[in-house]
Amino acid sequence: MRTLIANRPQILRLRRAFWVMSLAVVFVSSSLPLVSAGEVIELRTGQKLEGDVLKEQDGALYLDIGVDIVKIPLNQIRRREVIKAEGAASVNTPLPGQTKKLYQTAELPRASIKDLSQKYGEGVVLVQTPGGLGSGFIINDRGFCVTNCHVIEKETRIAVTIFHQAAGGEFARRRIDNVRIVALNPFFDLALLEIPKQDDLKFKPVYLTEADDEREGDEVFAIGNPLGLERSVSQGIVSTRNRNVKGLVYIQTTADINPGNSGGPLFNSRGEVVGVTNMKLLFAEGLGFAIPAAYLKLFLDHHEAYAYDANNPNTGYRFLDPPRRRVAGPPPEKAAETP
């Protein structure tokens, strides 16, 4: 008690200091309002910063990165990307009279490739046929799966291997036979499969991108089974999203793509599928290609038009050759028009 009375002036000074600090915090909080969602700031030099934007004032942006507040001149910012605060998946809801779509789209928050590959790795499967193997990914909880047409072309006995997480956290392999072919599109090199329902296993689908706004330099990564090496992850960037190959537009990426990756997903930095990996340039590194998600969604939305016929593995159509010329030589001149 004596010690408390002797230190009473010091206690009063501490109380005054505490109230002054409280008023200062209130003042700073009112002058620098926080926003509900963070942003990713890409500088002109290529570096990226992630945090909460506090305010914009006098030609500068103030960014709270967690351990410090960084002042960034606005003329040094190349691009700003808003991070969704909740990151909840926006599931497709069909309009009245429409059938339910086979896939789900989402706008997810950014995360590390390590976390994303662990979270969505269960949705990537190994596709096996008597002629070879490839990759695929599950798009809904009913077991519908996407892969490349050339992976299962002219095959009817198809199996998939799912790598699901056991109770202890490790991955367990589950081979499922008698996979059904639902639809084929040889022109887009896409195929839709249906995996038989498993009573003791719940399918974990991946999400397709909603925005489809990846640009050159954006980070992407692929999960697949190159040369049979299961659950391999490769990282890269988008080299270009407008590469013309035989009349179709592909995403060119530096992520390693090898035989066995065909049919696997190409993810963006938020874990959304932006493409289906399907080919690479032989004898070259860093030149992989993926079918854009826009083509994939078009195929899935109209999969009835590409329905597989079990009695005709080639799906029943072929292009006819044009008629041959009867007389060799230069083309005939245009006939003179009659008045």
Side-chain angles (χ1 to χ4, degrees):
M1 180 65 70
R2 292 177 182 175
T3 305
L4 182 60
I5 294 175
N7 293 337
R8 186 172 182 179
Q10 183 178 358
I11 293 174
L12 292 176
R13 287 195 297 270
L14 290 174
R15 286 181 176 176
R16 291 193 197 98
F18 174 77
W19 285 111
V20 170
M21 291 176 62
S22 300
L23 291 174
V25 170
V26 172
F27 174 75
V28 172
S29 299
S30 61
S31 61
L32 300 177
L34 289 175
V35 294
S36 59
E39 292 190 26
V40 175
I41 308 298
E42 182 179 351
L43 304 180
R44 293 185 179 275
T45 54
Q47 289 86 357
K48 293 182 179 180
L49 298 173
E50 182 175 334
D52 293 326
V53 175
L54 301 181
K55 69 173 184 177
E56 294 183 24
Q57 186 177 9
D58 299 330
L61 181 143
Y62 294 84
L63 186 71
D64 182 2
I65 61 174
V67 296
D68 201 354
I69 296 177
V70 180
K71 178 182 178 182
I72 307 173
L74 293 179
N75 58 7
Q76 296 300 317
I77 297 176
R78 175 185 297 172
R79 187 178 60 169
R80 297 172 58 176
E81 179 182 355
V82 177
I83 303 174
K84 298 294 181 180
E86 297 180 357
S90 56
V91 180
N92 279 313
T93 54
L95 297 174
Q98 285 186 330
T99 57
K100 183 179 180 180
K101 289 190 176 182
L102 295 178
Y103 59 91
Q104 296 175 328
T105 59
E107 294 183 5
L108 304 174
R110 295 171 65 94
S112 66
I113 293 179
K114 177 182 177 181
D115 294 338
L116 293 174
S117 59
Q118 184 176 8
K119 184 175 182 180
Y120 299 110
E122 292 189 58
V124 183
V125 301
L126 171 67
V127 181
Q128 295 173 292
T129 68
L133 56 84
S135 301
F137 54 96
I138 300 172
I139 58 173
N140 61 29
D141 55 5
R142 291 179 286 166
F144 282 81
C145 173
V146 170
T147 187
N148 282 149
C149 180
H150 75 260
V151 171
I152 63 168
E153 190 173 12
K154 299 181 181 179
E155 301 285 358
T156 56
R157 295 165 50 198
I158 302 171
V160 301
T161 299
I162 296 178
F163 308 95
H164 65 96
Q165 219 164 5
E170 70 278 1
F171 276 94
R173 304 172 80 258
R174 169 78 67 90
R175 177 186 167 96
I176 304 176
D177 296 310
N178 301 320
V179 175
R180 184 174 73 92
I181 303 175
V182 179
L184 290 175
N185 188 329
F187 185 66
F188 282 163
D189 194 19
L190 291 172
L192 180 63
L193 309 176
E194 184 180 10
I195 305 172
K197 182 179 179 181
Q198 306 295 301
D199 295 332
D200 59 341
L201 180 63
K202 184 178 180 181
F203 298 120
K204 294 190 177 181
V206 299
Y207 295 100
L208 306 187
T209 181
E210 176 70 26
D212 196 20
D213 59 353
E214 278 61 43
R215 292 296 181 266
E216 288 75 5
D218 286 345
E219 293 180 345
V220 291
F221 68 98
I223 302 179
N225 310 283
L227 303 178
L229 302 176
E230 301 168 349
R231 298 187 296 111
S232 295
V233 181
S234 58
Q235 179 186 8
I237 63 170
V238 174
S239 300
T240 178
R241 56 175 289 117
N242 294 308
R243 183 64 65 199
N244 177 17
V245 179
K246 295 183 178 180
L248 293 179
V249 174
Y250 289 87
I251 299 174
Q252 181 182 329
T253 176
T254 61
D256 288 334
I257 306 297
N258 290 287
N261 275 114
S262 295
L266 184 69
F267 294 97
N268 60 15
S269 57
R270 298 184 296 272
E272 305 159 7
V273 176
V274 298
V276 184
T277 58
N278 74 321
M279 64 180 179
K280 68 169 293 184
L281 193 62
L282 294 177
F283 310 111
E285 300 299 329
L287 292 175
F289 300 90
I291 304 165
Y295 288 166
L296 173 60
K297 288 187 281 189
L298 179 66
F299 167 66
L300 295 175
D301 289 340
H302 304 281
H303 68 278
E304 297 91 348
Y306 309 102
Y308 173 73
D309 183 358
N311 297 319
N312 185 354
N314 296 319
T315 318
Y317 75 86
R318 66 186 182 92
F319 294 101
L320 299 177
D321 295 330
R324 296 181 177 274
R325 291 181 56 189
R326 297 180 180 179
V327 180
E333 297 181 359
K334 184 179 180 181
E337 296 182 359
T338 58

